[in-house]
Amino acid sequence: MTQQQDESSAALTQWALMDAPDFLREIVQGALQRLLDAEMTAHLGAAPHERTEDRQGYRCGSYARTLTTRVGKIVLQVPRDREGRFQSQLFARYQRSEKAFVLALLEMYVQGVSTRKVAAITEELCGTEVSKSMVSSLAVGLDAELAIWRNRALQPFYPYLFVDATVLKARSPDRSNSNEAALLAVGVREDGHREALGVMMADSESEASWQDLFRDLRNRGVDRVGLVISDDHSGLVKAMGRCFHGASWQRCQVHLMRNLIRHTPASRQGEAIRLLQDVFAAKDRPEADRRLRAMVEAVAVWKPTLADWLEEAVPDALTVYDWPEKHHRHIRTTNMLERYNGELKRRTRVVRIFPNRESALRLVAAMVVEMDEEWTTGRRYVNPDVWNEKQLQPEARAREAG
């Protein structure tokens, strides 16, 4: 019974904090307040005013805590115990990324690279007395927690692997500003759930950088991957081939559409977009190939070089047809990572230039951990019942293709 209550409470927390933007603020506040009170009851082993021999302590008032949710800011009364040992788990997910964000601001402030806006925010958060030792102390605990997650063991096989990169600006050791690539890998397990597998900072999206990320996944237990979904990152396909022999590659159709616009004369962009959308809307691979040939013939009349590019690039975006039709809308693009990218960009607009690579990795990893917690406790991303044996055996598919 207790386990069912815990699962119900966890589900309610997930719903209130993540999945219900239209949920009434008063109901959210009431529900979360009840969860806090229930946590204190479990911690003490006794309800308010309950007499029991198993009691582990006593309540001692409460303090107000503001929590920002998707329905706005709510104020909760966090209960205290006399010994001061009670610590709610309700805020843990919220606090992790907020700590990383604040630490980035503090580091900028201490190192003298903050903008006027950052200085104002920092003083509002912490006052003007901010020291390097204070920043270092705050970072130690969070870095240790994130390191445990980044080095955890992984499953041996992921049918789908999404990879993406976001460019951030950070101070280099010589005090100049440089671009840093935050590389991210997200897997879909055989049970249909998503799992954030790893994140890494690199100088660029080079073959060596992607190979480092893939080798990290292998060192932590990943042996096989079925399909890799990504943009046309430089060197990624070569790195994938070295580390995950037999895996297929699906080029993101949304990114390919953007590439098409850049390759196409302005007067023909509308026509080219409609033709490519028609290719992607095909029911099966033979029909998609037929529509692609027709598109290439039409485009060759007014821009032969674009026709050549289409013949080379588009087939890589049609690999999705080798996988279950019910999964196509989920695996044809990297769009499922857009929420993460949008939130990261929102945070970095304030930071602008991270004081160092470690600070950037801290914030990126904290956000990815929270995203992973949401995915692994939420609903499945794809239906696992439609995979067939060949699709779950990458080596067999490689042998057939060879």
Side-chain angles (χ1 to χ4, degrees), residues 225-227 240-241 244-248 323 393-399:
V225 169
L227 178 70
M240 179 190 76
F244 297 115
H245 178 69
S248 301
W323 296 83
Q393 297 292 333
E395 290 90 347
R397 291 190 296 106
R399 286 194 297 271

Side-chain angles (χ1 to χ4, degrees), residues 95-96 98-107 110 122 125-127 129-146 362:
Q95 287 177 325
R96 193 184 296 114
E98 293 304 309
K99 285 179 181 177
F101 177 59
V102 171
L103 275 170
L105 299 181
L106 294 180
E107 286 179 307
V110 168
T122 303
L125 288 169
C126 308
E129 297 298 324
V130 181
S131 66
K132 290 184 179 181
S133 60
M134 172 189 172
V135 173
S136 177
S137 176
L138 289 171
V140 168
L142 182 56
D143 286 344
E145 179 184 351
L146 296 175
R362 184 182 300 123

